[in-house]
Amino acid sequence: MPVRATKRGAERTPLEARWDVLICGASFAGLAVARELRGGRGPGGGDPLRVLVLDRYEIGERQTSACAAPTEWLENLGLAGSIRQTFDSIVCHTPRGTARWPLPYQYATFDYPELCALLWAQSEGTAVFETAKVHGRTGQTVHTDRGDLSAPLIVDALGWRRVLAPAGAAPIQPPKATLSRGLEVHPAGTGPDLEIWVDRSVIPAGYGWSFPARDELRIGIGSYVPEDHVKAPTDRLSRAVGPEPEGYQGNWIPHRIRAGVEDGVFFVGDSAGHCIPLSAEGIRTAFYFGIACGRELRAVAEGRQQASQALARYGDFTAEAAWKFEALLRWQQGIPRLHPALLGRLNALTGRRRLAHWAFEHYRRIAPAQFALPAPPAAARASEIAPRPL
């Protein structure tokens, strides 16, 4: 299990209280936001931006996903060095047969710590990282176990709990929430294919997976019903694939999109429900919405728009995508109800190249990789970003 990395003892000093931008959360979404701010300066090319990124754990320390994404996203973000294995198809198993779905673009499994390090390196020189546990917020002040921090621009990329929601907001508490449940093991092993199982004998409402990553297999179960336990099904699937289960990791997965802005705060990644229903894919959407958020923040910091305009624009950007998420949520609710014979027929049809390419091209448009380009300017030198009073 990961060790909490929050500073302790003599190292647990209060953090500097005021910043231009405060990003809470240092995984896919938070690091994507920080990337868009690299080399940023105030209005008219003034002082360098002061950006603080916070997380309870060190960057790249706490993996909670299967770590697979379209290869084009990783390449466009400059993260290709983290790739462990690539795939041109998906093998889908159902009770009435197995089909290979040909893909119009590649997927890749990647190394989580290495990807996070590469992504963070793109914002170094502008952003500062510190470990701290975020407790909540009052207005533009964020409360942490290393003191209160304030900034005119605040981002919640902390995950499904939506920690920076306004006081009095309805709590997001499993299992009484729109959350799916996932668990994965990482035994040593190899394999040639991305495989998924849509089978009620594997999990009544959800799916199983085996994603090879060069020298390990990432085998797991995702249930759309949060009350369902997933450890025993995960162990069974791992043993059915071959390896004895080891290296457990799990998380709750939001399966309904939420507001991208609330009470003056930007929400990205799982905190905004930016996780695609049915597939539970949340990495490329975290990148996508994180980049969009970062660009709005940069425009505010550089004096090209007001914070109120950025909140409105980013809120609209998230809202405009909501229908795509809701459409796939209906598929998520419907697939487990299909008769096995009909499910098998649908699986076989998806194995046809023309239909598979049509479906995955539409799926790709939820968060297209072209959005990652162009990259922001190169980061400023560390010597250029000495702290300044606000």
Side-chain angles (χ1 to χ4, degrees):
M1 293 294 292
V3 177
R4 184 178 173 187
T6 302
K7 298 291 191 296
R8 296 186 180 279
E11 292 185 327
R12 193 180 178 279
T13 56
L15 296 171
E16 190 173 348
R18 302 193 68 191
W19 300 82
D20 294 324
V21 183
L22 181 57
I23 302 170
C24 300
S27 191
F28 306 117
L31 294 176
V33 175
R35 170 190 187 262
E36 294 303 307
L37 298 171
R38 67 179 179 180
R41 291 180 175 271
D47 293 328
L49 293 182
R50 298 186 66 242
V51 179
L52 177 63
V53 180
L54 293 177
D55 200 284
R56 182 176 178 177
Y57 299 94
E58 295 287 353
I59 292 173
E61 183 181 0
R62 190 169 182 262
Q63 178 178 332
T64 60
S65 84
C67 290
T71 305
E72 58 188 349
W73 262 106
L74 304 180
E75 291 175 341
N76 288 0
L77 284 169
L79 308 175
S82 66
I83 292 174
R84 291 295 171 264
Q85 197 166 338
T86 59
F87 308 89
D88 297 310
S89 63
I90 296 174
V91 176
C92 180
H93 307 278
T94 71
R96 298 294 177 89
T98 294
R100 182 179 294 275
W101 302 347
L103 298 173
Y105 48 91
Q106 278 189 341
Y107 267 80
T109 49
F110 59 85
D111 181 81
Y112 178 73
E114 187 169 352
L115 179 138
C116 289
L118 289 170
L119 191 52
W120 172 244
Q122 295 182 31
S123 62
E124 283 184 310
T126 298
V128 174
F129 174 76
E130 290 283 356
T131 54
K133 183 178 180 181
V134 177
H135 297 303
R137 173 182 64 90
T138 303
Q140 295 302 111
T141 299
V142 172
H143 311 298
T144 81
D145 63 354
R146 294 180 65 189
D148 288 349
L149 312 171
S150 64
L153 301 170
I154 298 173
V155 178
D156 182 335
L158 289 166
W160 60 268
R161 290 181 178 84
R162 202 171 169 96
V163 175
L164 300 185
I172 299 170
Q173 183 61 44
K176 304 299 182 183
T178 53
L179 298 168
S180 298
R181 184 178 209 156
L183 183 67
E184 184 177 77
V185 292
H186 289 182
T190 61
D193 295 313
L194 291 178
E195 296 183 80
I196 61 172
W197 285 260
V198 185
D199 187 332
R200 291 172 193 163
S201 69
V202 174
I203 189 72
Y207 64 96
W209 66 85
S210 176
F211 289 2
R214 189 186 295 168
D215 55 1
E216 73 173 11
L217 295 174
R218 298 165 183 175
I219 301 168
I221 293 288
S223 174
Y224 304 140
V225 179
E227 292 87 354
D228 287 351
H229 296 287
V230 291
K231 184 176 186 299
T234 299
D235 289 348
R236 286 196 298 269
L237 181 59
S238 183
R239 292 177 179 126
V241 170
E244 189 67 19
E246 60 177 282
Y248 292 88
Q249 67 176 39
N251 202 11
W252 296 100
I253 306 161
H255 59 237
R256 172 154 269 157
I257 195 166
R258 306 166 185 157
V261 300
E262 189 176 15
D263 194 31
V265 174
F266 299 81
F267 294 85
V268 294
D270 283 3
S271 71
H274 292 152
C275 193
I276 302 172
L278 185 63
S279 66
E281 186 180 359
I283 297 170
R284 68 182 171 111
T285 47
F287 291 150
Y288 180 70
F289 288 99
I291 289 170
C293 180
R295 289 174 180 171
E296 298 296 341
L297 299 180
R298 188 177 186 119
V300 175
E302 293 177 349
R304 293 183 280 115
Q305 69 176 346
Q306 299 297 313
S308 59
Q309 294 173 295
L311 287 161
R313 283 168 53 87
Y314 177 71
D316 289 345
F317 184 82
T318 293
E320 287 166 3
W323 71 269
K324 302 174 185 178
F325 287 73
E326 291 296 324
L328 283 169
L329 180 57
R330 289 193 288 273
W331 276 92
Q332 173 177 307
Q333 294 163 341
I335 290 288
R337 300 189 182 107
L338 291 180
H339 188 279
L342 183 56
L343 179 62
R345 179 60 177 159
L346 180 61
N347 186 32
L349 287 172
T350 308
R352 296 180 180 178
R353 181 181 181 86
R354 188 170 181 178
L355 178 59
H357 280 211
W358 176 87
F360 277 94
E361 284 292 356
H362 280 274
Y363 182 67
R364 178 194 226 167
R365 292 174 196 168
I366 296 172
Q370 291 79 3
F371 197 71
L373 301 172
R381 295 191 302 272
S383 60
E384 296 175 345
I385 59 165
R388 60 182 172 85
L390 294 178

